[in-house]
Amino acid sequence: LAVLGWRAYRAMLLPLLYLFFLVPTGYFLVPWLQGVTVWFAVAGLKLVGIPVFSDGILIDVPAGSFVVAEACAGLRFLIASVAFGVFFAALMYRSRVRWLTFVALSVIVPIIANGIRAWGIIALAEWTNSAEAIEADHIIYGWGFFTAVTLLLIVIGMRFADDRRPATMEPFLGSGGPAARPWNVAVAALIGLALAASGPAYAHLRDWRGATISLADVPPPPVAAPWTPVNGSIVDWKPPIGLPDREFLGAYADRGRVVTQYVALYRVAGFHNNLVRGTNELADGKHWQAASSGLVQARIDGKATTLATTEVGGEGRRLVVWDFYIVNGVVVASPMQAKLAQLKGIFGGDDFAAFVALAVEHTPDGEPPEKVLQDFLTAMGPPGSYLRNLEAR
């Protein structure tokens, strides 16, 4: 834009903005996509008379049990479909209404198609009584199904294509406008490069400063009485959190109530800030499965705070897990909120951040897990104080 000017930039606007599809994004949609897929599958199974029981992302039918894993949520196909839809619409349509309609179809159709695919796989397993064989081949079935869906989108789109004769292009040069001076172009290019380089340069500076901070000998977060540490693990659960600079995992007991505490500490650096990563989960997908998730209101340091809550099942047990991030002294519930809190403190925030997960086993005759977790949160004290004490060391 700075070097070529508005007219050339507007002519190349679509291919330039299309490059944003290279940016990895959309992982935050996975839980929602899993829920939609489960809903379609369960509704379809009931429609054809197959007995079905659903618990979060777990679906049980007489032929066996199925899990709508993250890879089965349809995110990759959704992103590919949207990218294709924008490209196809740009080539085939001049009408903005048709353009936007086809892009909207490219969003809606793959979501519905993925739900139908999940229903078809489970129904086929039930009808053939061979859940293992169907489950092993479901990726191949998915490729074929999504290819057919994409071809269907193309057929529908072609039927409503506009006149595709080349349009008369307005020339960039020779329009009678003032000619750009070489030194203006050079200055604009240098300013653009300087602005583009300022972000990476600042990130490297933050990395260099953060490299001098060590977390090797920091103590775990304190937990006040009557909660006391438990020797050994009560439940074999540990969230698969990637690349923490220091992590703590321990169990605490109070009058027969047991809470497992997981804390991951991170240096708040530039390029290598790993607090929020797409691979971070509360269940490993093998021994433990995340059944459902949502938000819960809790009190931290006497203030009402929103936390994330997830039910995790596995090994014949069921856990209720509360998790949250601590960024620049603020407790937030979601990765997106953590990123925004990091952005607010980019020019002078705290040196440390943390991810905290608290788990308690859910038993039918036990105390409500929410009550146990709230009592434990109160015993932990203000989370921001712990991180500030680390900075004062």
Side-chain angles (χ1 to χ4, degrees):
L1 174 61
V3 175
L4 299 179
W6 276 108
R7 298 181 67 189
Y9 180 77
R10 286 184 61 184
M12 296 188 294
L13 187 61
L14 180 68
L16 290 174
L17 295 183
Y18 196 81
L19 294 175
F20 276 100
F21 281 116
L22 291 172
V23 179
T25 187
Y27 190 79
F28 63 93
L29 292 172
V30 168
W32 181 81
L33 291 173
Q34 286 176 297
V36 172
T37 303
V38 170
W39 184 87
F40 268 101
V42 171
L45 292 170
K46 291 180 179 179
L47 188 64
V48 296
I50 296 177
V52 57
F53 172 76
S54 172
D55 185 6
I57 61 173
L58 306 175
I59 300 176
D60 288 323
V61 295
S65 299
F66 295 83
V67 178
V68 181
E70 292 180 359
C72 300
L75 176 62
R76 293 176 181 176
F77 180 59
L78 175 61
I79 293 175
S81 178
V82 173
F84 168 76
V86 172
F87 178 74
F88 183 90
L91 291 180
M92 307 305 295
Y93 302 124
R94 294 179 186 172
S95 167
R96 290 296 181 190
V97 174
R98 295 184 182 185
W99 200 99
L100 293 174
T101 301
F102 188 81
V103 172
L105 281 175
S106 302
V107 175
I108 297 171
V109 169
I111 295 176
I112 297 176
N114 193 59
I116 296 174
R117 179 190 68 90
W119 163 78
I121 290 173
I122 300 174
L124 188 60
E126 177 67 23
W127 290 331
T128 61
N129 198 26
S130 58
E132 293 80 6
I134 299 298
E135 191 172 2
D137 296 336
H138 78 282
I139 294 179
I140 298 176
Y141 300 151
W143 287 345
F145 185 73
F146 288 142
T147 300
V149 170
T150 304
L151 291 175
L152 179 62
L153 277 174
I154 294 174
V155 171
I156 295 174
M158 291 292 291
R159 289 183 61 85
F160 300 96
D162 290 327
D163 182 8
R164 298 184 297 278
R165 287 177 296 179
T168 303
M169 298 295 293
E170 185 180 358
F172 301 148
L173 303 176
S175 58
R181 297 178 181 180
W183 68 270
N184 286 345
V185 175
V187 170
L190 289 174
I191 293 175
L193 288 173
L195 289 174
S198 61
Y202 182 65
H204 279 298
L205 177 63
R206 300 266 312 215
D207 276 336
W208 171 77
R209 192 181 74 179
T212 62
I213 303 173
S214 175
L215 292 172
D217 58 346
V218 301
V223 179
W227 293 91
T228 57
V230 176
N231 293 327
S233 176
I234 300 300
V235 291
D236 188 17
W237 168 82
K238 179 179 180 292
I241 303 299
L243 303 176
D245 295 303
R246 185 70 190 276
E247 62 181 348
F248 302 98
L249 178 66
Y252 296 82
D254 170 35
R255 294 169 296 172
R257 307 180 302 172
V258 180
V259 172
T260 301
Q261 179 197 60
Y262 175 83
V263 178
L265 299 179
Y266 294 89
R267 291 193 297 262
V268 181
F271 278 112
H272 302 97
N273 189 333
N274 294 305
L275 176 66
V276 178
R277 297 177 62 88
T279 55
N280 289 349
E281 297 290 345
L282 293 176
D284 57 15
K286 296 180 180 179
H287 303 94
W288 298 93
Q289 301 286 347
S292 61
S293 60
L295 299 176
V296 64
Q297 290 293 319
R299 299 196 68 82
I300 297 181
D301 195 21
K303 300 178 182 179
T305 308
T306 301
L307 308 179
T309 179
T310 305
E311 290 196 15
V312 178
E315 301 185 350
R317 292 180 165 183
R318 195 168 193 84
L319 306 179
V320 175
V321 183
W322 285 5
D323 67 274
F324 55 92
Y325 298 85
I326 310 171
V327 184
N328 294 319
V330 179
V331 174
V332 295
S334 70
M336 184 67 72
Q337 291 174 321
K339 281 294 187 183
L340 292 175
Q342 286 179 318
L343 183 62
K344 292 178 181 178
I346 195 171
F347 294 110
D350 295 342
D351 291 327
F352 300 110
F355 171 77
V356 180
L358 308 175
V360 62
E361 187 170 0
H362 187 7
T363 55
D365 55 349
E367 190 174 1
E370 294 76 14
K371 175 65 168 57
V372 179
L373 291 171
Q374 178 60 73
D375 290 347
F376 188 82
L377 266 178
T378 303
M380 286 181 60
S385 299
Y386 170 67
L387 295 182
R388 287 192 293 271
N389 290 336
L390 294 184
E391 294 187 14
R393 288 170 57 88

